[in-house]
Amino acid sequence: MKYDVNAGRLELSTVIDLKGSEKDLFDWLSGEWPPAPERPNTASASDHGELYAIGPDHWLLRTGIDKEDKLMKQINLTAVPGNISAVLISDALAFFSLGGTEADEVISSLCPLDIHPDKFPKNGVSYTEVFGLKALLIRRMHGFELAVDCSFADMMEDVLRRAGANFE
């Protein structure tokens, strides 16, 4: 059965995995990056990128791959303070988009996370399981994004097709 869902593999993103307390992290990050999300498992955004609060003292900073050089100049990963862990993981994740009137149906069939807007708000982001794979789920205005380990990208594309998504 096909759903009214369009899916596609997105271009590579620049992603930095950050661990450290909110205070330490924001004392270290420059002011142009997004502020701390207001609650766990949500995202904040600015013109420079997005910041995902994905666990206690665990964050992901994401921006376009075209901004990676600028980010690397601003965040010197060889001089990170000892109370913060900052690791570039851009090559580790493959991102997919799912949009359309039935995107919720496809996501609900693939993962156990309660994606009702009361539980997973418009800026919701969380690690979950999608068809047995660890996946990052991000709510977007007209659907979702999923990120999986890039070694599973072809498998995730197959899973999304089998779940009824139309690939672009």
Side-chain angles (χ1 to χ4, degrees):
M1 175 179 172
K2 288 288 186 189
Y3 286 96
D4 181 20
V5 174
N6 295 314
R9 199 180 293 197
L10 300 173
E11 71 175 19
L12 193 63
S13 290
T14 299
V15 182
I16 297 180
D17 184 278
L18 299 163
K19 293 184 178 78
S21 75
E22 184 176 330
K23 181 187 180 328
D24 291 343
L25 189 65
F26 287 95
D27 284 348
W28 174 67
L29 279 176
S30 72
E32 66 184 39
W33 296 103
E38 294 181 8
R39 58 186 245 213
N41 296 103
T42 61
S44 61
S46 74
D47 292 340
H48 300 285
E50 298 174 315
L51 185 65
Y52 305 146
I54 57 170
D57 297 333
H58 192 179
W59 319 80
L60 292 177
L61 180 60
R62 180 181 176 199
T63 191
I65 196 68
D66 59 318
K67 296 179 183 177
E68 185 167 303
D69 288 340
K70 179 180 178 186
L71 177 61
M72 293 298 98
K73 287 177 184 169
Q74 291 177 335
I75 299 176
N76 181 356
L77 294 181
T78 61
V80 177
N83 55 349
I84 296 171
S85 170
V87 178
L88 182 67
I89 61 167
S90 302
D91 295 337
L93 296 174
F95 286 85
F96 294 86
S97 65
L98 283 95
T101 60
E102 297 177 309
D104 286 11
E105 299 293 325
V106 171
I107 292 296
S108 292
S109 71
L110 294 176
C111 85
L113 192 66
D114 183 352
I115 60 166
H116 188 277
D118 290 345
K119 303 291 182 194
F120 197 67
K122 65 181 179 181
N123 64 339
V125 58
S126 181
Y127 272 109
T128 186
E129 181 181 294
V130 173
F131 214 70
L133 298 175
K134 179 180 178 181
L136 183 68
L137 183 65
I138 305 159
R139 185 179 291 279
R140 295 296 186 201
M141 184 175 290
H142 300 292
F144 298 89
E145 286 182 7
L146 284 171
V148 296
D149 185 288
C150 65
S151 63
F152 294 111
D154 291 341
M155 180 180 170
M156 182 54 61
E157 186 170 328
D158 182 61
V159 165
L160 293 172
R161 284 182 196 282
R162 289 175 185 268
N166 301 303
F167 257 80
E168 302 172 335

